[in-house]
Amino acid sequence: MASTGHSTAATSEMDEEKEAPPPQDLTLGWVRDALIRQEDSIVFALIERARFPYNAHVYDPSLLPQQGGRSLVEAFARGAEVLQAKFGRYQNPEEVSFFPDDLPPPSGIPYNFPEVFHPASASVTVNNAIWNMYFNDLLPLFTVEGDDGNYTSTAAADLVCLQALSRRIHYGKYVAEVKFRDAPQDYMTAIRAKDRDALMKLLTFEAVEEMVKRRVLKKAMVFGQTVTLEDKTFDDETKYKVDPAVVAHLYDEWVIPLTKDVEVEYLLRRLD
Ligand SMILES: C=C(O[C@@H]1C=C(C(=O)O)C=C[C@H]1O)C(=O)O
C-alpha cells in the first residue's frame, strides 16, 4: 500500500496544524501566525519569478490573436483558474479568483470548510487592484530587462506570485472578523456611521506593521542568498536573488494597505 507520507514526529504534526484551514473560533494570534508563514511563500514566489527576465512578450495582447486580445499571462491565468475551480480551489474561502465570471462548478473532493466569514462580507475582493499593482508597479522592480523565451514558465511564475499575494491580502477578512468579535461595540458604532477613517484607525496596529516590514526584509536576505559550503560573511556586496528593499517596499506600499482595505470593506458589510 502506498504510504500516506504522514509523519508522527511532533514537529511535523505542528506544521500540519498550521496548514489546516482557519478554525471557526480563530484568534488574532492564529491569523497573524498564518500571515507570517505566508511571507515565506511570497518571498519564494518572487525569487522564482526573478529567475526569468521581464519577458515583455508575456504581457503583449497583440501576440496571441487566437486568445481574443488577451496577453499570454491573462489567457494562462484564466485557463488555470478554470481548471482549478473545476477541482474545487475556490471552495476554500482563503482562495479568491481573479476572473470569477464563467468559472465551472466544482467537482473535486467535497470538504466542509469552517464558515468563519459573515456571509455578506465573504465576497470582498481587491484582486483587480492586486493584478494592476503586480504588472504595472511591482514586476519592473524585481525583474531584469530581457527576453529568454521562457514565456509560459514566466506566466506560471507570475500566477504563483499573484495567488500568494491575493491569499495574504484577502486574509484581511479573517483579521477583520476576529477584530470585530474582540470589540464588537467599538466596531459597530463606526460601521453604522459608515466611517471608513474610524474603522481604519481601529484596525491599525502600527507596531505590528513595522515588525512585518522588518521581518520580510530579513526573510528576503536570508532566503535570497546563494548558499555555499564555504564560510562567508554577508555585507553590502552580497547579491540577493530579489532585492530585499523591494520586498519591504511591496509590503509597505501595497500588501499592508490592501490588506487594510480588505479589512475595512469586510467590516462595512459586517452588519448587513
Ligand atoms: C493584519 C493586521 O491588521 C493591520 C494590517 C497589518 C498587515 O497587513 O500586516 C498589520 C497590522 C494592522 O495594522 C493585524 O493586525 O495583524
Side-chain angles (χ1 to χ4, degrees):
M1 205 177 93
S3 158
T4 61
H6 285 179
S7 161
T8 51
T11 49
S12 314
E13 275 174 12
M14 272 172 58
D15 288 342
E16 276 173 13
E17 254 169 44
K18 274 228 179 111
E19 300 298 329
Q24 217 146 14
D25 57 345
L26 82 174
T27 61
L28 193 51
W30 194 100
V31 180
R32 284 183 173 154
D33 281 349
L35 292 178
I36 291 171
R37 194 193 53 73
Q38 289 178 47
E39 292 163 1
D40 303 8
S41 310
I42 290 172
V43 173
F44 280 116
L46 298 175
I47 288 172
E48 284 301 297
R49 174 58 185 89
R51 289 169 47 222
F52 306 111
Y54 181 68
N55 281 337
H57 283 357
V58 174
Y59 314 107
D60 183 345
S62 72
L63 294 179
L64 274 186
Q66 71 276 27
Q67 290 293 341
R70 288 176 184 150
S71 63
L72 172 64
V73 76
E74 183 178 339
F76 183 90
R78 284 177 181 269
E81 286 203 342
V82 166
L83 178 74
Q84 294 179 5
K86 198 169 136 193
F87 290 102
R89 181 181 181 110
Y90 302 107
Q91 297 305 101
N92 182 343
E94 291 178 37
E95 304 290 353
V96 181
S97 157
F98 283 89
F99 302 102
D101 301 333
D102 307 324
L103 290 181
S107 57
I109 301 167
Y111 181 79
N112 284 333
F113 287 96
E115 279 176 35
V116 175
F117 300 152
H118 179 66
S121 307
S123 61
V124 168
T125 171
V126 294
N127 264 347
N128 283 342
I130 296 172
W131 182 274
N132 292 332
M133 172 280 286
Y134 180 80
F135 292 110
N136 299 337
D137 300 310
L138 181 62
L139 198 51
L141 295 181
F142 76 99
T143 50
V144 294
E145 278 179 40
D147 182 323
D148 70 356
N150 273 315
Y151 304 137
T152 307
S153 302
T154 298
D158 284 329
L159 183 58
V160 174
C161 291
L162 285 162
Q163 289 178 328
L165 289 166
S166 175
R167 196 178 311 114
R168 193 289 180 196
I169 289 165
H170 289 105
Y171 244 73
K173 296 182 200 177
Y174 292 107
V175 180
E177 178 61 28
V178 80
K179 286 180 180 170
F180 177 85
R181 287 185 199 173
D182 285 349
Q185 289 310 327
D186 298 347
Y187 280 100
M188 275 196 282
T189 310
I191 294 168
R192 290 209 178 97
K194 296 190 175 27
D195 190 339
R196 287 170 188 271
D197 293 343
L199 286 172
M200 196 56 102
K201 228 174 166 168
L202 277 172
L203 60 81
T204 295
F205 290 83
E206 274 167 24
V208 176
E209 293 181 23
E210 287 313 310
M211 277 192 313
V212 169
K213 285 183 262 180
R214 282 178 36 221
R215 191 173 48 240
V216 293
L217 182 84
K218 189 167 177 186
K219 284 186 179 180
M221 288 175 164
V222 173
F223 302 160
Q225 292 167 13
T226 300
V227 176
T228 62
L229 291 177
E230 286 88 58
D231 288 334
K232 67 176 180 185
T233 50
F234 297 97
D235 50 31
D236 289 349
E237 300 301 308
T238 304
K239 287 263 176 289
Y240 299 106
K241 291 169 187 168
V242 166
D243 182 355
V246 170
V247 181
H249 180 68
L250 162 66
Y251 266 74
D252 186 27
E253 191 74 18
W254 299 300
V255 171
I256 294 174
L258 284 168
T259 304
K260 290 162 70 171
D261 286 347
V262 168
E263 292 182 55
V264 170
E265 293 306 317
Y266 181 95
L267 289 163
L268 285 171
R269 294 164 181 75
R270 183 60 180 74
L271 301 177
D272 292 356

